[in-house]
Amino acid sequence: MQTPQRKGILTVVSGFSGSGKGTVMKLLLSAHPEYGLSISVTTRAPRQGEEDGREYFFRTKEYFEQMIAQDKLLEYAQYVENYYGTPREYVQRQLDEGRDVILEIEMQGARQVKQRFPEAVLVFITPPSIEELEKRLRGRGTETEEVVRGRLAQASKEAEAMEEYDYILPNEDGQAEKCAEDLHRIICSEHYKTDRCKDRIENFRQA
Ligand code: 5GP
């Protein structure tokens, strides 16, 4: 019997707006380029500096709805009046090849992934506290009082669903690198969970 092959793990990363998850993801990918980061499809317009095929695949609503009809999305959600979704094919191919894949998506999508892939690992990145989140949102200096209040209210609402995640990972101020490394360690440890080592156990039973 052949040595059992390592299977890819699907990790979902979510976090409040202001959690710094985007920075954490960039640091993780530059330190560990072996991870496959899924690029989502969205109907929202590109922001300055964003490129089609790099941050997102920017598509029309009609195109997106066709992808839904053809079952080409692993999950999708409507968020602030736009569609966001994960193309199924890329993720499936990477996992089949034994590569670990990360999806950076919001909560409704995370829930769908957990239903379809119960073995997926769900990680929620947070600032250390709501006070720190408020400080960060105000510190940006670009948001109006109304927007800050809206983001805080949204965070408090989203906190209701935090318990659906497997890990709550704090991103301390100025410690995004540590947070990225912690995320890497979580995924590494997940590979050794007994449930994921059934083939290896079976292999020893053959003796
Ligand atoms: P933004 O417009 O700021 O890039 O993203 C808005 C939200 O959409 C973020 O919380 C981001 O994680 C989430 N998001 C990005 N891609 C996807 C996706 O493919 N599916 C889902 N469900 N959410 C996504």
Side-chain angles (χ1 to χ4, degrees):
M1 194 185 179
Q2 279 188 339
T3 307
Q5 240 204 332
R6 178 182 143 123
K7 289 198 179 87
I9 290 182
L10 182 58
T11 301
V12 172
V13 175
S14 305
F16 305 128
S17 163
S19 65
K21 66 180 189 304
T23 309
V24 171
M25 295 306 296
K26 277 200 191 107
L27 290 168
L28 176 73
L29 268 296
S30 71
H32 302 283
E34 67 273 18
Y35 287 115
L37 179 70
S38 163
I39 300 171
S40 300
V41 185
T42 184
T43 58
R44 85 151 161 75
R47 295 189 188 122
Q48 207 180 8
E50 286 184 336
E51 245 177 60
D52 184 48
R54 192 178 64 194
E55 280 80 12
Y56 285 103
F57 296 108
F58 298 98
R59 296 291 180 268
T60 60
K61 191 163 174 251
E62 292 67 36
Y63 189 96
F64 196 100
E65 284 172 347
Q66 211 174 348
M67 286 187 88
I68 300 174
Q70 293 171 345
D71 201 24
K72 287 189 172 163
L73 298 172
L74 194 75
E75 61 73 37
Y76 70 92
Q78 247 177 326
Y79 184 87
V80 204
E81 291 169 22
N82 284 300
Y83 276 128
Y84 293 83
T86 305
R88 182 190 299 281
E89 199 193 323
Y90 170 85
V91 174
Q92 202 56 65
R93 189 161 16 95
Q94 300 295 315
L95 290 175
D96 290 348
E97 287 171 7
R99 203 160 172 212
D100 294 333
V101 179
I102 304 183
L103 313 182
E104 199 232 290
I105 62 177
E106 51 67 70
M107 286 185 151
Q108 305 165 63
R111 218 171 261 152
Q112 293 170 43
V113 173
K114 193 71 178 178
Q115 269 167 9
R116 282 177 204 164
F117 296 80
E119 70 283 9
V121 181
L122 267 53
V123 181
F124 196 89
I125 297 185
T126 66
S129 64
I130 190 83
E131 291 79 13
E132 178 61 30
L133 178 63
E134 184 169 356
K135 215 170 95 192
R136 285 186 199 176
L137 291 172
R138 289 193 195 287
R140 285 179 180 173
T142 50
E143 324 285 15
T144 62
E145 179 63 24
E146 198 188 338
V147 171
V148 171
R149 296 231 157 267
R151 294 258 159 89
L152 289 172
Q154 173 77 9
S156 152
K157 206 172 102 203
E158 285 180 357
E160 295 294 320
M162 277 166 77
E163 275 165 295
E164 294 173 33
Y165 283 73
D166 299 302
Y167 295 89
I168 305 297
L169 185 59
N171 179 20
E172 307 279 345
D173 225 11
Q175 305 263 323
E177 258 147 31
K178 179 183 178 298
C179 185
E181 239 0 79
D182 285 345
L183 178 54
H184 172 61
R185 281 202 208 102
I186 287 171
I187 301 171
C188 286
S189 310
E190 282 287 331
H191 276 284
Y192 301 108
K193 277 206 164 161
T194 308
D195 272 357
R196 296 191 201 274
C197 295
K198 296 241 163 83
D199 288 357
R200 197 173 296 281
I201 296 169
E202 214 36 59
N203 171 264
F204 281 105
R205 287 187 177 154
Q206 306 278 321

